[in-house]
Amino acid sequence: MSDRFDASWDSILKPLFNTPVLKNLSEFVQQERTVSKVFPAQSLVFNAFKLTGLNNLKVVILGQDPYHNDGQAHGLSFSVPKGMAIPPSLRNIYTELVTDIPGFKYPDHGDLTKWAEQGVLLLNATLTVRAHEAGSHQKRGWEYFTDEVISAISAQSEHVVFMLWGSYAIKKSVLIDSGKHLILTAVHPSPLSVYRGFFGCAHFSQANEYLRRFGKKPIDWQV
């Protein structure tokens, strides 16, 4: 298990894996894999924690569920591997970046690995899903796991930007110390809500301004 995430997360993640909630969750997911396709692949479930070390953490972008269609999920919220069609919400994120970040060019792929490697934790609240069944692994223990992770980041890190989009993500703000971190909230970038305040939110430029203020290298949002 520990070879699937960066060692800087050990003090947070290893105790969680020993809790009854996570042991039951692990049994559930393994059983699911015997009877159905489960996304992402087992080796990619903790991909966000492998690509983004706790000691390099600058931004957290919280999603809800992994993508549930073939080939999409690879352990990073809102991201899909190169070669896959760019999902609607990510297209809208790119559209906002074009207007928010000078010189940003609309990408031809949806792979956000470059963000993750710079310190953007692309975290879904639920880390697995049964193929073609949205929400099928919700309320099985993943939310407990990711809530604990968010709380630990808030307690142990300094000056992290949390981007919370949509009512589900915004509810997580109670886990974050707003006195030591920047919390940015907006409607979800899905086509259903994007025009109600996501476009024009300028979260990406605000994040970089905040990081600079505290002596951190800003994120190069171009992918």
Side-chain angles (χ1 to χ4, degrees), residues 161-165 170 182-186 201-204 206-207:
V161 181
F162 290 83
M163 296 186 185
L164 308 180
W165 301 330
I170 290 170
L182 177 63
I183 303 173
L184 299 174
T185 63
C201 69
H203 281 185
F204 305 97
Q206 288 185 66

Side-chain angles (χ1 to χ4, degrees), residues 69-216:
N69 289 328
D70 293 271
Q72 291 180 304
H74 65 142
L76 304 175
S77 63
F78 294 100
S79 179
V80 292
K82 289 178 180 174
M84 299 298 298
I86 302 172
S89 291
L90 183 54
R91 288 202 303 267
N92 288 333
I93 291 170
Y94 286 165
T95 298
E96 171 61 18
L97 276 159
V98 169
T99 62
D100 186 31
I101 300 296
F104 183 89
K105 293 180 175 58
Y106 197 101
D108 61 1
H109 65 87
D111 188 345
L112 304 181
T113 296
K114 183 180 172 184
W115 291 4
E117 292 173 341
Q118 294 178 79
V120 181
L121 183 68
L122 296 163
L123 180 64
N124 278 317
T126 303
L127 299 191
T128 56
V129 67
R130 189 184 298 169
H132 316 304
E133 294 185 36
S136 50
H137 286 187
Q138 290 178 3
K139 299 180 181 176
R140 292 286 185 167
W142 279 127
E143 294 88 347
Y144 164 80
F145 172 79
T146 49
D147 281 3
E148 289 294 309
V149 168
I150 292 167
S151 297
I153 291 169
S154 176
Q156 297 182 29
S157 299
E158 298 286 339
H159 309 308
V160 173
V161 181
F162 290 83
M163 296 186 185
L164 308 180
W165 301 330
S167 58
Y168 180 86
I170 290 170
K171 288 175 184 175
K172 304 297 183 182
S173 61
V174 298
L175 305 172
I176 304 161
D177 182 348
S178 60
K180 58 188 291 202
H181 304 289
L182 177 63
I183 303 173
L184 299 174
T185 63
V187 298
H188 196 276
S190 78
L192 296 174
S193 57
V194 69
Y195 288 100
R196 298 204 308 267
F198 185 81
F199 286 154
C201 69
H203 281 185
F204 305 97
S205 59
Q206 288 185 66
N208 278 352
E209 181 183 341
Y210 180 83
L211 294 172
R212 287 191 193 95
R213 192 187 321 156
F214 291 99
K216 297 185 178 185

Side-chain angles (χ1 to χ4, degrees), residues 8-85:
S8 61
W9 291 101
D10 282 0
S11 64
I12 294 174
L13 300 192
K14 285 187 173 179
L16 284 173
F17 290 138
N18 289 322
T19 62
V21 174
L22 266 294
K23 288 180 178 178
N24 290 338
L25 172 63
S26 178
E27 291 177 6
F28 165 74
V29 174
Q30 296 312 314
Q31 175 62 24
E32 284 280 276
R33 290 192 187 277
T34 67
V35 298
S36 174
K37 278 196 292 188
V38 172
F39 299 135
Q42 193 160 315
S43 61
L44 293 172
V45 171
F46 298 103
N47 198 24
F49 299 98
K50 185 171 187 175
L51 295 175
T52 307
L54 179 62
N55 50 5
N56 185 43
L57 182 60
K58 298 175 181 177
V59 178
V60 177
I61 299 180
L62 185 64
Q64 190 163 357
D65 254 21
Y67 295 118
H68 56 82
N69 289 328
D70 293 271
Q72 291 180 304
H74 65 142
L76 304 175
S77 63
F78 294 100
S79 179
V80 292
K82 289 178 180 174
M84 299 298 298

